[in-house]
Amino acid sequence: MSDKLKVTIDGTTIEVDKGTTILQAARMIGKNYPPAMCYYTPLKNTGGKCRVCLVKVAQASEANPRPMPKLVASCLTQVEQGMVVENETSPEVLEARNGVVEFLLINHPLDCPVCDQAGECDLQNLSFDHGKGITRYEEGRREFEKIDIGSKVQLHMTRCILCYRCVYLADQLTEKRVHGVINRGDVSEISTYIQNAIENDFSGNIIDVCPVGALTDKTYRFKQRVWFSKPFDAHRNCSKCSGKTVLWMKGDDIIRVTSRKDKFGEVIDFICNECRYDHKNPADWVIEGPRHIEDTSVISANKYELPVVSPAVNVDAKFVSE
Amino acid sequence: MGKKILLEHVDVPGIQTLEVYRKMGGYQAVEKALKSMNPDEVVEEVKKSGLRGRGGAGFPTGMKWSFLDKKSDKPRYLVCNADESEPGTFKDRYLMQRIPHMLIEGMICSSFALGARTSYIYVRGEMMYVIRILEKAIAEAYAAGLLGKNILGSDYSLDLYVQPGGGAYICGEETALLESLEGKRGNPRNKPPFPAVWGLYGCPTVVNNVETIADVPWIINHGGDAYAAIGIGKSTGTKLISACGNIKKPGVYEIELGVPVEEFIYSDEYCGGITEGRKLKAVVAGGSSVPILPADLILTTANNEKRLMTYESLSDGGFVSGTMLGSGGFIVFDDRQCIVRNLWNFSRFYHHESCGQCSPCREGTGWMEKVLHRIEHGHGKMSDIDLLVDVAKKIEGKTICPLGEAAAWPVASAIRHFRAEFEEHVRNPDSCLKKHLHREAALAH
């Protein structure tokens, strides 16, 4: 096929269609792909903002074998025939990524112990992979009051990393966007400006696309640590959306309903607010079976599935062995 | 006296009006271009002139024009970037305020060359008085048949609008400017695609600085070769330099590119030397975002050659011992000035003006400002100096637009050349602080 382009990422060569970005090609290879905090495949025009997916292009193309002068955002840069990309094999990339993680964290409250997102937080995973255990930042952090945007969603701007995903989502999925980014620089914030409520059938999806704990489900706040709940694939007949969801159960109770995400943490089908909030009775759903959360998150460690013979002994043994 | 292209008639009384401007030879270029040239010939002359973008980057204008997507059947736009807000740069304001018709003439000629039927002048919102002057001049031009339908009886029509910005430095970045012009938040776009392909309203667009466009009529009147004959090497023509700081004669000067820096600072034709006969300490040669250079390196290069006011000579030595011509904001510091305090001031500016779209710039500019504030106010540590260098390095080249570099370069260069001063602030914070308070109290009187 002449339309296919050959690209080499970290030594692995893959053939992709024209128009594929470096990040997509790397995801096709399937290992050590660049992280992404703002880019979101289901939403158009996202990407380029967080700068964690920067990669080094060691050879721009077969025709132009020179390297690109700067690191490029892999989520936006399209591959060329014969392009050679260095991601985790380039110390320059790793250092830059380390720098971006540090920048993202300097104004982040690091309140993971009380944050509902902990355990399924992209920033947490990113910091674990590319951050340092220490901070060099000694100045004050920016802080915002928590605000309710709509009856079911709470905005905790202090945690926000300004990925703009929720803004693009409101633009592309709902009829009228009533929130956006106001102010600029490190005091810019997601806001409805005059405390407008975001109320429409698909507004709940901003919770799912938020990579951090800035937008959280008020019906789920402080109910459970995510790794102690059991996710099940389920569906129901819904006139507004596909009805395909994940039910997060605690015992026999549904404590949360979310959309299904793929292994890159991206929503497969956006779900409506009725499915998300109004059907917490298991009888409303056809349960398909347990959902295996991929990726390396604590959820996929499936701790809750471990056979617990004698909890005290097990835990101690684990600590000793590590 | 050097050749004057832009400011030749600046002191003629009434030059703001169409009548006087025409009497001094104004709008001849429009007549010549529309009646005896085709658009490609105009582009060719500009290419020959070697004119380079005067907004700061110094990219060849003719080449930028030739990138315009001619195959597209969408309308094309010319946008003039008059969002001049770099600290130390005030040349465009002066030009628009004093000779508004020169910019309008340039806009007509350039729009004709590019095939634009609608053009915009995006003016920084703080300069309302300039906007009023421009609007008055545009109304005069419309009345005289120089704008609107069938200009001067030709089949070329052009509408020209002035758009006030909201007062954000970032909207001087060309893609942020286009976003703002479209009525959106002024966030720079990811590139590619560049404006030549995907610009205003998704149409092919050229964005040029005020001074660049104002140079075009002279090039049409006298030919590209005549323009290229002025200056040295690839730095052709003249350049407006806005000089300020501790000099006897601050102001806007038009220089032939190639004037030695020493002559520019000390000759009576230009800055007239340092105030009160003091010693030169440092110079920021091209607006606050270019690297600062100490006296010895600004006057001579590291190879002991005389430093000239050209793109090449000023950047000789790269970032180790050179700087950039930039936008021509020439800031001179005498030996009383504190580099740390100045740098904190610059950093505060970039912190305030970062759009907040991409993480390194949003977070890094604030971090650098806070650390510099601490050092300046007596709470610095030795490790802060290396921290600043490292933060600057982690911003530089990682951002969507050049504001990241603009914020990082001053920090990196000030510490590179004046590290001892930073260390002195850490070691003896009280005496440094007292000195500043004393000087500021004196200035207040």
Side-chain angles (χ1 to χ4, degrees), chain B residues 234-313:
Chain B
K234 283 184 179 169
S235 298
T236 61
T238 65
K239 172 97 186 75
L240 294 182
I241 304 288
S242 54
C244 63
N246 303 116
I247 44 173
K248 285 187 185 143
K249 291 164 58 193
V252 177
Y253 296 99
E254 182 169 10
I255 58 158
E256 280 184 37
L257 287 169
V259 171
V261 175
E262 193 169 359
E263 186 188 329
F264 184 73
I265 297 175
Y266 289 103
S267 90
D268 285 333
E269 192 186 338
Y270 304 114
C271 301
I274 313 295
T275 43
E276 299 169 29
R278 302 200 70 106
K279 251 179 76 192
L280 175 70
K281 180 176 184 179
V283 170
V284 172
S288 63
S289 55
V290 307
I292 191 170
L293 283 187
D296 52 337
L297 280 174
I298 190 70
L299 299 178
T300 52
T301 66
N303 302 330
N304 242 343
E305 283 166 26
K306 228 175 188 173
R307 183 92 67 182
L308 308 176
M309 297 287 279
T310 63
Y311 291 98
E312 291 75 23
S313 177

Side-chain angles (χ1 to χ4, degrees), chain B residues 296-357:
Chain B
D296 52 337
L297 280 174
I298 190 70
L299 299 178
T300 52
T301 66
N303 302 330
N304 242 343
E305 283 166 26
K306 228 175 188 173
R307 183 92 67 182
L308 308 176
M309 297 287 279
T310 63
Y311 291 98
E312 291 75 23
S313 177
L314 279 170
S315 56
D316 187 283
F319 283 165
V320 179
S321 62
T323 178
M324 284 165 77
L325 181 59
S327 57
F330 199 85
I331 312 171
V332 180
F333 301 87
D334 73 18
D335 54 358
R336 288 169 303 180
Q337 303 307 322
C338 172
I339 299 296
V340 181
R341 194 166 184 80
N342 172 65
L343 182 63
W344 167 52
N345 192 24
F346 281 177
S347 281
R348 191 169 54 165
F349 174 80
Y350 290 110
H351 176 204
H352 186 248
E353 295 295 344
S354 167
C355 79
Q357 187 182 200

Side-chain angles (χ1 to χ4, degrees), chain A residues 23-257:
Chain A
L23 180 69
Q24 283 163 343
R27 284 182 176 183
M28 284 174 203
I29 293 172
K31 51 167 195 193
N32 298 339
Y33 44 84
M37 299 298 289
C38 67
Y39 172 79
Y40 209 65
T41 315
L43 299 173
K44 268 181 257 159
N45 301 330
T46 49
K49 300 189 196 312
C50 69
R51 317 307 282 180
V52 298
C53 72
L54 291 176
V55 293
K56 185 176 172 62
V57 176
Q59 176 177 321
S61 69
E62 219 167 61
N64 174 18
R66 285 178 303 178
M68 288 192 185
K70 288 179 185 177
L71 302 181
V72 299
S74 61
C75 62
L76 294 172
T77 310
Q78 296 186 354
V79 300
E80 302 278 345
Q81 177 67 3
M83 186 184 260
V84 178
V85 179
E86 291 172 11
N87 175 31
E88 300 211 334
T89 51
S90 161
E92 190 188 345
V93 169
L94 292 179
E95 201 197 334
R97 203 165 284 163
N98 182 276
V100 177
V101 174
E102 189 173 24
F103 286 134
L104 286 175
L105 291 179
I106 63 170
N107 273 316
H108 192 79
L110 298 170
D111 58 347
C112 309
V114 294
C115 177
D116 279 323
Q117 190 86 0
E120 51 179 7
C121 174
D122 290 351
L123 186 60
Q124 217 175 24
N125 295 342
L126 179 75
S127 316
F128 185 77
D129 288 341
H130 295 285
K132 287 183 181 147
I134 50 156
T135 181
R136 299 182 291 172
Y137 187 73
E138 298 171 6
E139 330 303 322
R141 288 165 196 257
R142 66 180 179 148
E143 281 172 34
F144 297 90
E145 293 293 317
K146 295 185 194 75
I147 44 174
D148 292 334
I149 47 170
S151 53
K152 301 280 172 40
V153 186
Q154 186 170 72
L155 169 62
H156 196 172
M157 190 55 217
T158 312
R159 293 174 184 152
C160 177
I161 58 160
L162 286 161
C163 68
Y164 284 62
R165 278 181 191 172
C166 60
V167 179
Y168 285 107
L169 182 127
D171 265 341
Q172 292 168 27
L173 204 67
T174 66
E175 280 188 359
K176 197 170 168 224
R177 172 162 69 89
V178 294
H179 77 292
V181 178
I182 62 164
N183 296 331
R184 67 179 178 221
D186 57 5
V187 292
S188 48
E189 57 177 305
I190 302 288
S191 173
T192 51
Y193 192 51
I194 38 174
Q195 303 232 329
N196 236 326
I198 302 177
E199 296 290 3
N200 56 62
D201 285 344
F202 286 85
S203 62
N205 288 298
I206 57 177
I207 301 163
D208 285 348
V209 299
C210 184
V212 294
L215 293 164
T216 47
D217 185 342
K218 275 166 71 182
T219 65
Y220 176 66
R221 275 176 72 76
F222 306 130
K223 282 255 173 86
Q224 184 69 283
R225 303 273 32 174
V226 63
W227 56 90
F228 290 132
S229 54
K230 301 179 190 177
F232 289 94
D233 279 343
H235 66 266
R236 61 179 279 271
N237 278 331
C238 178
S239 57
K240 292 175 190 153
C241 67
S242 68
K244 291 178 186 162
T245 62
V246 179
L247 307 179
W248 299 78
M249 314 276 286
K250 180 185 182 184
D252 293 332
D253 298 331
I254 300 175
I255 52 170
R256 178 170 75 143
V257 182

Side-chain angles (χ1 to χ4, degrees), chain A residues 281-298:
Chain A
N281 183 350
D284 293 349
W285 296 92
V286 180
I287 294 177
E288 298 165 15
R291 179 169 188 82
H292 181 67
I293 306 289
E294 290 188 73
D295 208 342
T296 49
S297 82
V298 289

